[in-house]
mmCIF file of all heavy atoms in Angstrom:
data_model
loop_
_atom_site.group_PDB
_atom_site.id
_atom_site.type_symbol
_atom_site.label_atom_id
_atom_site.label_comp_id
_atom_site.label_asym_id
_atom_site.label_seq_id
_atom_site.Cartn_x
_atom_site.Cartn_y
_atom_site.Cartn_z
ATOM 1 N N ALA A 14 21.514 5.435 26.116
ATOM 2 C CA ALA A 14 20.397 5.620 25.185
ATOM 3 C C ALA A 14 20.895 5.892 23.769
ATOM 4 O O ALA A 14 20.259 5.520 22.788
ATOM 5 C CB ALA A 14 19.507 6.766 25.662
ATOM 6 N N ALA A 15 22.046 6.536 23.648
ATOM 7 C CA ALA A 15 22.590 6.877 22.334
ATOM 8 C C ALA A 15 23.356 5.715 21.711
ATOM 9 O O ALA A 15 23.603 5.726 20.507
ATOM 10 C CB ALA A 15 23.510 8.088 22.452
ATOM 11 N N ALA A 16 23.700 4.706 22.476
ATOM 12 C CA ALA A 16 24.527 3.606 21.973
ATOM 13 C C ALA A 16 23.967 2.964 20.711
ATOM 14 O O ALA A 16 24.717 2.722 19.768
ATOM 15 C CB ALA A 16 24.753 2.572 23.063
ATOM 16 N N PRO A 17 22.664 2.667 20.630
ATOM 17 C CA PRO A 17 22.177 2.077 19.379
ATOM 18 C C PRO A 17 22.387 2.995 18.174
ATOM 19 O O PRO A 17 22.654 2.527 17.077
ATOM 20 C CB PRO A 17 20.684 1.859 19.646
ATOM 21 C CG PRO A 17 20.564 1.772 21.124
ATOM 22 C CD PRO A 17 21.647 2.693 21.645
ATOM 23 N N ALA A 18 22.285 4.289 18.364
ATOM 24 C CA ALA A 18 22.475 5.227 17.259
ATOM 25 C C ALA A 18 23.937 5.287 16.824
ATOM 26 O O ALA A 18 24.231 5.618 15.681
ATOM 27 C CB ALA A 18 21.986 6.612 17.660
ATOM 28 N N LEU A 19 24.859 4.985 17.735
ATOM 29 C CA LEU A 19 26.278 5.042 17.421
ATOM 30 C C LEU A 19 26.771 3.747 16.768
ATOM 31 O O LEU A 19 27.842 3.727 16.187
ATOM 32 C CB LEU A 19 27.088 5.308 18.694
ATOM 33 C CG LEU A 19 26.802 6.636 19.403
ATOM 34 C CD1 LEU A 19 27.577 6.692 20.718
ATOM 35 C CD2 LEU A 19 27.131 7.808 18.521
ATOM 36 N N ALA A 20 25.997 2.689 16.883
ATOM 37 C CA ALA A 20 26.399 1.400 16.333
ATOM 38 C C ALA A 20 26.385 1.442 14.810
ATOM 39 O O ALA A 20 25.639 2.197 14.199
ATOM 40 C CB ALA A 20 25.463 0.307 16.837
ATOM 41 N N ALA A 21 27.215 0.618 14.206
ATOM 42 C CA ALA A 21 27.249 0.517 12.745
ATOM 43 C C ALA A 21 25.934 -0.070 12.256
ATOM 44 O O ALA A 21 25.335 -0.906 12.928
ATOM 45 C CB ALA A 21 28.420 -0.365 12.326
ATOM 46 N N PRO A 22 25.481 0.368 11.076
ATOM 47 C CA PRO A 22 24.231 -0.188 10.535
ATOM 48 C C PRO A 22 24.350 -1.690 10.292
ATOM 49 O O PRO A 22 25.433 -2.206 10.020
ATOM 50 C CB PRO A 22 24.056 0.553 9.201
ATOM 51 C CG PRO A 22 24.935 1.746 9.286
ATOM 52 C CD PRO A 22 26.051 1.390 10.210
ATOM 53 N N ALA A 23 23.228 -2.372 10.403
ATOM 54 C CA ALA A 23 23.197 -3.814 10.128
ATOM 55 C C ALA A 23 23.575 -4.068 8.678
ATOM 56 O O ALA A 23 23.243 -3.277 7.790
ATOM 57 C CB ALA A 23 21.800 -4.353 10.411
ATOM 58 N N ARG A 24 24.290 -5.157 8.429
ATOM 59 C CA ARG A 24 24.640 -5.579 7.056
ATOM 60 C C ARG A 24 23.599 -6.595 6.619
ATOM 61 O O ARG A 24 23.354 -7.570 7.322
ATOM 62 C CB ARG A 24 26.032 -6.200 7.023
ATOM 63 C CG ARG A 24 27.139 -5.185 7.187
ATOM 64 C CD ARG A 24 28.508 -5.845 7.277
ATOM 65 N NE ARG A 24 28.957 -6.443 6.039
ATOM 66 C CZ ARG A 24 29.773 -5.854 5.159
ATOM 67 N NH1 ARG A 24 30.211 -4.639 5.398
ATOM 68 N NH2 ARG A 24 30.142 -6.477 4.064
ATOM 69 N N ILE A 25 23.008 -6.360 5.449
ATOM 70 C CA ILE A 25 21.998 -7.274 4.926
ATOM 71 C C ILE A 25 22.321 -7.606 3.475
ATOM 72 O O ILE A 25 22.916 -6.796 2.766
ATOM 73 C CB ILE A 25 20.576 -6.679 5.019
ATOM 74 C CG1 ILE A 25 20.446 -5.427 4.146
ATOM 75 C CG2 ILE A 25 20.186 -6.394 6.462
ATOM 76 C CD1 ILE A 25 19.020 -5.007 3.870
ATOM 77 N N PRO A 26 21.937 -8.790 3.021
ATOM 78 C CA PRO A 26 22.103 -9.090 1.598
ATOM 79 C C PRO A 26 21.096 -8.288 0.779
ATOM 80 O O PRO A 26 20.005 -7.951 1.262
ATOM 81 C CB PRO A 26 21.835 -10.588 1.506
ATOM 82 C CG PRO A 26 21.164 -10.972 2.769
ATOM 83 C CD PRO A 26 21.450 -9.917 3.787
ATOM 84 N N ALA A 27 21.452 -7.982 -0.442
ATOM 85 C CA ALA A 27 20.576 -7.193 -1.312
ATOM 86 C C ALA A 27 19.181 -7.791 -1.404
ATOM 87 O O ALA A 27 18.183 -7.062 -1.445
ATOM 88 C CB ALA A 27 21.202 -7.066 -2.701
ATOM 89 N N ALA A 28 19.076 -9.108 -1.415
ATOM 90 C CA ALA A 28 17.784 -9.775 -1.548
ATOM 91 C C ALA A 28 16.818 -9.453 -0.408
ATOM 92 O O ALA A 28 15.613 -9.603 -0.561
ATOM 93 C CB ALA A 28 17.986 -11.284 -1.648
ATOM 94 N N GLN A 29 17.318 -8.989 0.728
ATOM 95 C CA GLN A 29 16.464 -8.674 1.870
ATOM 96 C C GLN A 29 16.092 -7.193 1.946
ATOM 97 O O GLN A 29 15.452 -6.754 2.898
ATOM 98 C CB GLN A 29 17.152 -9.081 3.170
ATOM 99 C CG GLN A 29 17.322 -10.567 3.334
ATOM 100 C CD GLN A 29 18.012 -10.931 4.635
ATOM 101 O OE1 GLN A 29 18.253 -10.087 5.497
ATOM 102 N NE2 GLN A 29 18.349 -12.198 4.782
ATOM 103 N N SER A 30 16.444 -6.408 0.954
ATOM 104 C CA SER A 30 16.225 -4.959 0.983
ATOM 105 C C SER A 30 14.773 -4.571 1.218
ATOM 106 O O SER A 30 14.486 -3.645 1.975
ATOM 107 C CB SER A 30 16.716 -4.326 -0.318
ATOM 108 O OG SER A 30 18.091 -4.524 -0.459
ATOM 109 N N ALA A 31 13.836 -5.247 0.571
ATOM 110 C CA ALA A 31 12.421 -4.889 0.690
ATOM 111 C C ALA A 31 11.914 -4.996 2.126
ATOM 112 O O ALA A 31 11.018 -4.259 2.530
ATOM 113 C CB ALA A 31 11.573 -5.759 -0.234
ATOM 114 N N ALA A 32 12.507 -5.870 2.911
ATOM 115 C CA ALA A 32 12.084 -6.044 4.305
ATOM 116 C C ALA A 32 12.655 -4.974 5.229
ATOM 117 O O ALA A 32 12.310 -4.939 6.410
ATOM 118 C CB ALA A 32 12.502 -7.429 4.799
ATOM 119 N N HIS A 33 13.508 -4.090 4.702
ATOM 120 C CA HIS A 33 14.172 -3.087 5.538
ATOM 121 C C HIS A 33 13.895 -1.654 5.081
ATOM 122 O O HIS A 33 14.667 -0.746 5.416
ATOM 123 C CB HIS A 33 15.674 -3.362 5.571
ATOM 124 C CG HIS A 33 16.015 -4.658 6.244
ATOM 125 N ND1 HIS A 33 16.183 -4.755 7.605
ATOM 126 C CD2 HIS A 33 16.169 -5.910 5.744
ATOM 127 C CE1 HIS A 33 16.451 -6.019 7.918
ATOM 128 N NE2 HIS A 33 16.446 -6.736 6.802
ATOM 129 N N VAL A 34 12.819 -1.451 4.326
ATOM 130 C CA VAL A 34 12.473 -0.098 3.883
ATOM 131 C C VAL A 34 12.265 0.786 5.111
ATOM 132 O O VAL A 34 11.627 0.393 6.088
ATOM 133 C CB VAL A 34 11.212 -0.119 2.991
ATOM 134 C CG1 VAL A 34 10.732 1.290 2.689
ATOM 135 C CG2 VAL A 34 11.502 -0.865 1.692
ATOM 136 N N GLY A 35 12.851 1.980 5.064
ATOM 137 C CA GLY A 35 12.774 2.923 6.177
ATOM 138 C C GLY A 35 13.923 2.798 7.156
ATOM 139 O O GLY A 35 14.063 3.616 8.058
ATOM 140 N N GLN A 36 14.759 1.795 6.996
ATOM 141 C CA GLN A 36 15.877 1.574 7.898
ATOM 142 C C GLN A 36 17.195 1.964 7.235
ATOM 143 O O GLN A 36 17.337 1.873 6.022
ATOM 144 C CB GLN A 36 15.952 0.102 8.299
ATOM 145 C CG GLN A 36 14.742 -0.387 9.046
ATOM 146 C CD GLN A 36 14.823 -1.874 9.333
ATOM 147 O OE1 GLN A 36 15.892 -2.499 9.265
ATOM 148 N NE2 GLN A 36 13.682 -2.483 9.638
ATOM 149 N N THR A 37 18.144 2.370 8.060
ATOM 150 C CA THR A 37 19.494 2.640 7.580
ATOM 151 C C THR A 37 20.307 1.370 7.787
ATOM 152 O O THR A 37 20.445 0.890 8.918
ATOM 153 C CB THR A 37 20.122 3.826 8.327
ATOM 154 O OG1 THR A 37 19.313 4.980 8.095
ATOM 155 C CG2 THR A 37 21.539 4.092 7.845
ATOM 156 N N VAL A 38 20.795 0.815 6.686
ATOM 157 C CA VAL A 38 21.510 -0.462 6.700
ATOM 158 C C VAL A 38 22.682 -0.390 5.728
ATOM 159 O O VAL A 38 22.812 0.566 4.964
ATOM 160 C CB VAL A 38 20.582 -1.633 6.298
ATOM 161 C CG1 VAL A 38 19.461 -1.827 7.296
ATOM 162 C CG2 VAL A 38 20.032 -1.429 4.900
ATOM 163 N N THR A 39 23.501 -1.422 5.744
ATOM 164 C CA THR A 39 24.516 -1.612 4.723
ATOM 165 C C THR A 39 24.084 -2.798 3.882
ATOM 166 O O THR A 39 24.003 -3.920 4.375
ATOM 167 C CB THR A 39 25.903 -1.857 5.346
ATOM 168 O OG1 THR A 39 26.271 -0.700 6.104
ATOM 169 C CG2 THR A 39 26.957 -2.106 4.269
ATOM 170 N N VAL A 40 23.766 -2.522 2.628
ATOM 171 C CA VAL A 40 23.327 -3.557 1.695
ATOM 172 C C VAL A 40 24.562 -4.115 1.002
ATOM 173 O O VAL A 40 25.381 -3.360 0.473
ATOM 174 C CB VAL A 40 22.340 -2.984 0.659
ATOM 175 C CG1 VAL A 40 22.002 -4.014 -0.401
ATOM 176 C CG2 VAL A 40 21.078 -2.481 1.352
ATOM 177 N N VAL A 41 24.679 -5.435 0.995
ATOM 178 C CA VAL A 41 25.812 -6.098 0.362
ATOM 179 C C VAL A 41 25.287 -6.924 -0.810
ATOM 180 O O VAL A 41 24.379 -7.739 -0.650
ATOM 181 C CB VAL A 41 26.564 -7.003 1.362
ATOM 182 C CG1 VAL A 41 27.725 -7.705 0.684
ATOM 183 C CG2 VAL A 41 27.042 -6.187 2.551
ATOM 184 N N GLY A 42 25.851 -6.659 -1.993
ATOM 185 C CA GLY A 42 25.432 -7.405 -3.165
ATOM 186 C C GLY A 42 26.321 -7.114 -4.352
ATOM 187 O O GLY A 42 27.103 -6.157 -4.350
ATOM 188 N N VAL A 43 26.180 -7.941 -5.377
ATOM 189 C CA VAL A 43 26.981 -7.806 -6.591
ATOM 190 C C VAL A 43 26.367 -6.731 -7.483
ATOM 191 O O VAL A 43 25.153 -6.720 -7.709
ATOM 192 C CB VAL A 43 27.061 -9.152 -7.341
ATOM 193 C CG1 VAL A 43 27.766 -8.996 -8.678
ATOM 194 C CG2 VAL A 43 27.765 -10.191 -6.484
ATOM 195 N N LEU A 44 27.212 -5.828 -7.981
ATOM 196 C CA LEU A 44 26.759 -4.829 -8.940
ATOM 197 C C LEU A 44 26.548 -5.545 -10.262
ATOM 198 O O LEU A 44 27.481 -6.048 -10.878
ATOM 199 C CB LEU A 44 27.785 -3.699 -9.086
ATOM 200 C CG LEU A 44 27.424 -2.609 -10.084
ATOM 201 C CD1 LEU A 44 26.114 -1.914 -9.704
ATOM 202 C CD2 LEU A 44 28.538 -1.589 -10.189
ATOM 203 N N SER A 45 25.282 -5.588 -10.693
ATOM 204 C CA SER A 45 24.907 -6.360 -11.878
ATOM 205 C C SER A 45 24.784 -5.522 -13.135
ATOM 206 O O SER A 45 24.888 -6.046 -14.238
ATOM 207 C CB SER A 45 23.575 -7.067 -11.630
ATOM 208 O OG SER A 45 23.662 -7.872 -10.488
ATOM 209 N N GLY A 46 24.517 -4.237 -12.966
ATOM 210 C CA GLY A 46 24.349 -3.385 -14.136
ATOM 211 C C GLY A 46 24.392 -1.925 -13.770
ATOM 212 O O GLY A 46 24.174 -1.548 -12.619
ATOM 213 N N VAL A 47 24.677 -1.104 -14.774
ATOM 214 C CA VAL A 47 24.803 0.344 -14.594
ATOM 215 C C VAL A 47 24.024 1.029 -15.703
ATOM 216 O O VAL A 47 24.076 0.608 -16.859
ATOM 217 C CB VAL A 47 26.289 0.775 -14.667
ATOM 218 C CG1 VAL A 47 26.430 2.281 -14.655
ATOM 219 C CG2 VAL A 47 27.082 0.154 -13.531
ATOM 220 N N HIS A 48 23.304 2.083 -15.330
ATOM 221 C CA HIS A 48 22.606 2.898 -16.333
ATOM 222 C C HIS A 48 22.890 4.366 -16.024
ATOM 223 O O HIS A 48 22.653 4.826 -14.907
ATOM 224 C CB HIS A 48 21.103 2.653 -16.302
ATOM 225 C CG HIS A 48 20.333 3.571 -17.192
ATOM 226 N ND1 HIS A 48 20.362 3.461 -18.571
ATOM 227 C CD2 HIS A 48 19.563 4.639 -16.908
ATOM 228 C CE1 HIS A 48 19.613 4.424 -19.084
ATOM 229 N NE2 HIS A 48 19.113 5.147 -18.098
ATOM 230 N N VAL A 49 23.407 5.089 -16.998
ATOM 231 C CA VAL A 49 23.634 6.528 -16.856
ATOM 232 C C VAL A 49 22.468 7.224 -17.540
ATOM 233 O O VAL A 49 22.194 6.985 -18.717
ATOM 234 C CB VAL A 49 24.984 6.947 -17.485
ATOM 235 C CG1 VAL A 49 25.202 8.450 -17.322
ATOM 236 C CG2 VAL A 49 26.138 6.168 -16.858
ATOM 237 N N THR A 50 21.767 8.083 -16.785
ATOM 238 C CA THR A 50 20.613 8.779 -17.335
ATOM 239 C C THR A 50 21.061 9.891 -18.271
ATOM 240 O O THR A 50 22.232 10.293 -18.269
ATOM 241 C CB THR A 50 19.749 9.394 -16.228
ATOM 242 O OG1 THR A 50 20.467 10.480 -15.617
ATOM 243 C CG2 THR A 50 19.365 8.359 -15.173
ATOM 244 N N GLY A 51 20.121 10.409 -19.049
ATOM 245 C CA GLY A 51 20.417 11.525 -19.941
ATOM 246 C C GLY A 51 20.904 12.754 -19.197
ATOM 247 O O GLY A 51 21.665 13.554 -19.731
ATOM 248 N N GLY A 52 20.482 12.892 -17.947
ATOM 249 C CA GLY A 52 20.902 14.030 -17.128
ATOM 250 C C GLY A 52 22.218 13.815 -16.410
ATOM 251 O O GLY A 52 22.704 14.699 -15.711
ATOM 252 N N GLY A 53 22.803 12.616 -16.532
ATOM 253 C CA GLY A 53 24.107 12.357 -15.927
ATOM 254 C C GLY A 53 24.070 11.651 -14.588
ATOM 255 O O GLY A 53 25.110 11.300 -14.041
ATOM 256 N N SER A 54 22.881 11.430 -14.031
ATOM 257 C CA SER A 54 22.791 10.649 -12.798
ATOM 258 C C SER A 54 23.031 9.185 -13.150
ATOM 259 O O SER A 54 22.927 8.780 -14.307
ATOM 260 C CB SER A 54 21.423 10.836 -12.148
ATOM 261 O OG SER A 54 21.263 12.177 -11.724
ATOM 262 N N VAL A 55 23.329 8.366 -12.139
ATOM 263 C CA VAL A 55 23.671 6.968 -12.375
ATOM 264 C C VAL A 55 22.771 6.068 -11.533
ATOM 265 O O VAL A 55 22.494 6.358 -10.367
ATOM 266 C CB VAL A 55 25.153 6.710 -12.026
ATOM 267 C CG1 VAL A 55 25.525 5.253 -12.240
ATOM 268 C CG2 VAL A 55 26.066 7.622 -12.841
ATOM 269 N N LEU A 56 22.335 4.970 -12.142
ATOM 270 C CA LEU A 56 21.562 3.946 -11.450
ATOM 271 C C LEU A 56 22.364 2.659 -11.458
ATOM 272 O O LEU A 56 22.850 2.231 -12.515
ATOM 273 C CB LEU A 56 20.218 3.718 -12.159
ATOM 274 C CG LEU A 56 19.304 4.922 -12.234
ATOM 275 C CD1 LEU A 56 18.183 4.668 -13.225
ATOM 276 C CD2 LEU A 56 18.734 5.232 -10.873
ATOM 277 N N TRP A 57 22.541 2.062 -10.280
ATOM 278 C CA TRP A 57 23.217 0.780 -10.174
ATOM 279 C C TRP A 57 22.182 -0.283 -9.830
ATOM 280 O O TRP A 57 21.392 -0.113 -8.904
ATOM 281 C CB TRP A 57 24.259 0.787 -9.068
ATOM 282 C CG TRP A 57 25.487 1.579 -9.353
ATOM 283 C CD1 TRP A 57 25.857 2.177 -10.514
ATOM 284 C CD2 TRP A 57 26.537 1.860 -8.419
ATOM 285 N NE1 TRP A 57 27.064 2.805 -10.373
ATOM 286 C CE2 TRP A 57 27.502 2.630 -9.092
ATOM 287 C CE3 TRP A 57 26.745 1.544 -7.095
ATOM 288 C CZ2 TRP A 57 28.667 3.078 -8.474
ATOM 289 C CZ3 TRP A 57 27.897 1.987 -6.475
ATOM 290 C CH2 TRP A 57 28.857 2.737 -7.161
ATOM 291 N N ASN A 58 22.199 -1.394 -10.546
ATOM 292 C CA ASN A 58 21.367 -2.550 -10.236
ATOM 293 C C ASN A 58 22.205 -3.498 -9.385
ATOM 294 O O ASN A 58 23.224 -3.998 -9.848
ATOM 295 C CB ASN A 58 20.913 -3.253 -11.515
ATOM 296 C CG ASN A 58 20.172 -2.310 -12.439
ATOM 297 O OD1 ASN A 58 19.343 -1.534 -11.997
ATOM 298 N ND2 ASN A 58 20.491 -2.355 -13.710
ATOM 299 N N VAL A 59 21.768 -3.713 -8.165
ATOM 300 C CA VAL A 59 22.530 -4.548 -7.234
ATOM 301 C C VAL A 59 21.737 -5.813 -6.925
ATOM 302 O O VAL A 59 20.539 -5.748 -6.646
ATOM 303 C CB VAL A 59 22.850 -3.774 -5.941
ATOM 304 C CG1 VAL A 59 23.544 -4.663 -4.919
ATOM 305 C CG2 VAL A 59 23.730 -2.563 -6.254
ATOM 306 N N GLY A 60 22.411 -6.946 -6.980
ATOM 307 C CA GLY A 60 21.799 -8.210 -6.619
ATOM 308 C C GLY A 60 21.099 -8.923 -7.757
ATOM 309 O O GLY A 60 20.504 -9.975 -7.553
ATOM 310 N N GLY A 61 21.153 -8.386 -8.953
ATOM 311 C CA GLY A 61 20.519 -9.021 -10.100
ATOM 312 C C GLY A 61 20.335 -8.013 -11.213
ATOM 313 O O GLY A 61 20.466 -6.808 -11.014
ATOM 314 N N ALA A 62 20.026 -8.532 -12.396
ATOM 315 C CA ALA A 62 19.846 -7.669 -13.563
ATOM 316 C C ALA A 62 18.476 -6.993 -13.520
ATOM 317 O O ALA A 62 17.500 -7.569 -13.036
ATOM 318 C CB ALA A 62 19.991 -8.486 -14.840
ATOM 319 N N TYR A 63 18.399 -5.774 -14.035
ATOM 320 C CA TYR A 63 17.141 -5.051 -14.143
ATOM 321 C C TYR A 63 16.225 -5.805 -15.093
ATOM 322 O O TYR A 63 16.692 -6.329 -16.100
ATOM 323 C CB TYR A 63 17.412 -3.635 -14.671
ATOM 324 C CG TYR A 63 16.158 -2.815 -14.860
ATOM 325 C CD1 TYR A 63 15.599 -2.164 -13.781
ATOM 326 C CD2 TYR A 63 15.538 -2.728 -16.095
ATOM 327 C CE1 TYR A 63 14.440 -1.419 -13.934
ATOM 328 C CE2 TYR A 63 14.380 -1.995 -16.256
ATOM 329 C CZ TYR A 63 13.834 -1.341 -15.168
ATOM 330 O OH TYR A 63 12.680 -0.627 -15.317
ATOM 331 N N PRO A 64 14.961 -5.948 -14.823
ATOM 332 C CA PRO A 64 14.175 -5.357 -13.742
ATOM 333 C C PRO A 64 14.052 -6.247 -12.507
ATOM 334 O O PRO A 64 13.342 -5.905 -11.570
ATOM 335 C CB PRO A 64 12.809 -5.153 -14.382
ATOM 336 C CG PRO A 64 12.676 -6.313 -15.303
ATOM 337 C CD PRO A 64 14.083 -6.569 -15.824
ATOM 338 N N GLY A 65 14.772 -7.368 -12.471
ATOM 339 C CA GLY A 65 14.657 -8.287 -11.342
ATOM 340 C C GLY A 65 15.569 -7.985 -10.172
ATOM 341 O O GLY A 65 15.577 -8.736 -9.194
#
Side-chain angles (χ1 to χ4, degrees):
L19 298 174
R24 287 175 70 97
I25 64 164
Q29 293 180 8
S30 298
H33 295 274
V34 172
Q36 298 176 17
T37 299
V38 296
T39 298
V40 174
V41 179
V43 174
L44 179 60
S45 304
V47 173
H48 173 72
V49 180
T50 69
S54 295
V55 179
L56 299 167
W57 288 353
N58 303 317
V59 175
Y63 178 83

